């Protein structure tokens, strides 16, 4: 099964909002509310920022929010800051035998 | 604070077996609330789930790697390991060990802890 589909890059100016999409199928994103998002800064380990589509782990800024419609999940970052510049990956549980899919990743540039 | 640390060779020859171990500290590996697995990231590319295992032995593998992958757990050492056979240059990647949270009857909800990652290069 193919990876989840994300735009290769997005950009925005400080203070603006951006949205990153993550498109799957009815066998993964569309069937389960088990979509998570990870932020990976250069040279760093991925960090969980959203889980179960909309939930934020303790300590993650409320500027990060998640949503889902049909087979597409989305990550929105509001009030962009310079240190939001990173790669963002979505991930979803999928029906057997695929089980776990990641998106190809989106590079966020803060202009 | 739970920590995971990968260890193993950084260089493997083509056609040989890649072997890595993850040592878990600050918590027990013997819990049904989590499972333990491996994720890799080729240089400059995205993340790929390799597989996961419960301490009880139940395992799940990426179907594209299943024929070459084995994950096993040593509860006495609080460690789990990865073996990937018949490696090629395409297996060159940073390999992360990770803790994955269970959701109801589904083994994967999210990754909540990552090791620092270890680069494994496949080259003669």
């Amino acid at each position: 099964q193919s990876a989840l589909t994300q735009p290769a890059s997005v950009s925005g100016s400080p203070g603006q909002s951006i949205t990153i999409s993550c498109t799957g199928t009815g066998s993964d994103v569309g069937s389960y509310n088990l979509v998570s998002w990870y932020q990976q800064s250069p040279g760093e380990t991925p960090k969980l920022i959203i889980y179960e589509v909309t939930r934020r782990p303790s300590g993650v800024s409320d500027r990060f929010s998640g949503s889902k419609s049909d087979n597409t999940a989305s990550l929105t970052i509001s009030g962009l800051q310079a240190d939001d510049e990173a790669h963002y990956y979505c991930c979803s549980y999928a029906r057997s035998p695929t089980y776990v899919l990641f998106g190809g990743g989106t590079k966020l540039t803060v202009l | 604070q739970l920590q995971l640390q990968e260890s193993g060779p950084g260089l493997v020859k083509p056609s040989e077996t890649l072997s890595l171990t993850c040592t878990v500290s600050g918590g027990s590996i013997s819990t049904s609330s989590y499972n333990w697995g491996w994720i890799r990231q080729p240089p400059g590319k995205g993340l790929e789930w390799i597989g996961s295992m419960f301490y009880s032995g139940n395992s799940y593998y990426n179907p594209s790697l299943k024929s070459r992958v084995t994950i096993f757990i040593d509860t006495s050492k609080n460690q789990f390991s990865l073996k990937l056979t018949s490696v090629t240059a395409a297996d060159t990647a940073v390999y992360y060990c990770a803790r994955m949270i269970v959701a109801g009857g589904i083994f994967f909800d999210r990754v909540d802890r990552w090791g620092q990652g270890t680069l494994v290069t496949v080259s003669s």
Side-chain angles (χ1 to χ4, degrees):
Chain A
Q1 190 163 350
S2 301
L4 305 174
T5 301
Q6 297 181 234
S9 63
V10 298
S11 62
S13 300
Q16 288 186 332
S17 295
I18 62 95
T19 296
I20 299 172
S21 61
C22 170
T23 300
T25 69
S27 296
D28 39 72
V29 174
S31 287
Y32 304 96
N33 290 325
L34 294 174
V35 175
S36 49
W37 290 88
Y38 304 85
Q39 176 192 57
Q40 187 177 34
S41 299
E44 300 284 321
T45 297
K47 173 190 173 185
L48 177 68
I49 55 173
I50 294 288
Y51 68 99
E52 293 175 5
V53 179
T54 62
R55 297 186 176 192
R56 277 188 310 275
S58 174
V60 172
S61 171
D62 60 3
R63 298 186 299 105
F64 295 90
S65 62
S67 63
K68 189 183 85 166
S69 177
D70 296 327
N71 297 337
T72 298
S74 298
L75 171 71
T76 297
I77 309 173
S78 60
L80 270 180
Q81 299 177 358
D83 62 2
D84 295 331
E85 193 161 282
H87 280 87
Y88 292 84
Y89 295 92
C90 63
C91 179
S92 175
Y93 177 77
R95 287 194 195 120
S96 172
T98 304
Y99 293 131
V100 180
L101 283 172
F102 280 97
T106 298
K107 179 177 171 56
L108 168 62
T109 300
V110 180
L111 302 170
Chain B
Q1 178 82 352
L2 186 107
Q3 292 187 320
L4 299 91
Q5 180 65 58
E6 304 88 352
S7 59
L11 181 64
V12 181
K13 290 182 168 54
S15 80
E16 295 190 345
T17 296
L18 179 160
S19 296
L20 296 174
T21 295
C22 183
T23 300
V24 179
S25 58
S28 174
I29 204 170
S30 302
T31 168
S32 58
S33 299
Y34 306 103
N35 60 83
W36 309 89
W38 295 88
I39 294 164
R40 70 181 183 178
Q41 185 171 33
K45 296 188 179 180
L47 301 166
E48 180 181 35
W49 173 73
I50 298 171
S52 306
M53 174 171 274
F54 283 95
Y55 82 98
S56 60
N58 288 345
S59 59
Y60 305 84
Y61 295 117
N62 184 324
S64 69
L65 298 170
K66 187 174 182 178
S67 63
R68 299 194 291 131
V69 172
T70 305
I71 295 173
F72 49 97
I73 286 183
D74 186 338
T75 55
S76 67
K77 295 181 179 178
N78 225 36
Q79 293 177 334
F80 60 102
S81 299
L82 168 72
K83 285 195 184 299
L84 179 66
T85 63
S86 304
V87 297
T88 69
D91 294 309
T92 294
V94 174
Y95 285 76
Y96 296 99
C97 61
R99 186 178 78 170
M100 300 169 197
I101 290 183
V102 177
I106 293 177
F107 82 93
F108 183 87
D109 180 323
R110 60 196 184 270
V111 180
D112 78 323
R113 290 284 190 275
W114 300 72
Q116 283 301 300
T118 185
L119 174 63
V120 179
T121 301
V122 178
S123 175
S124 55

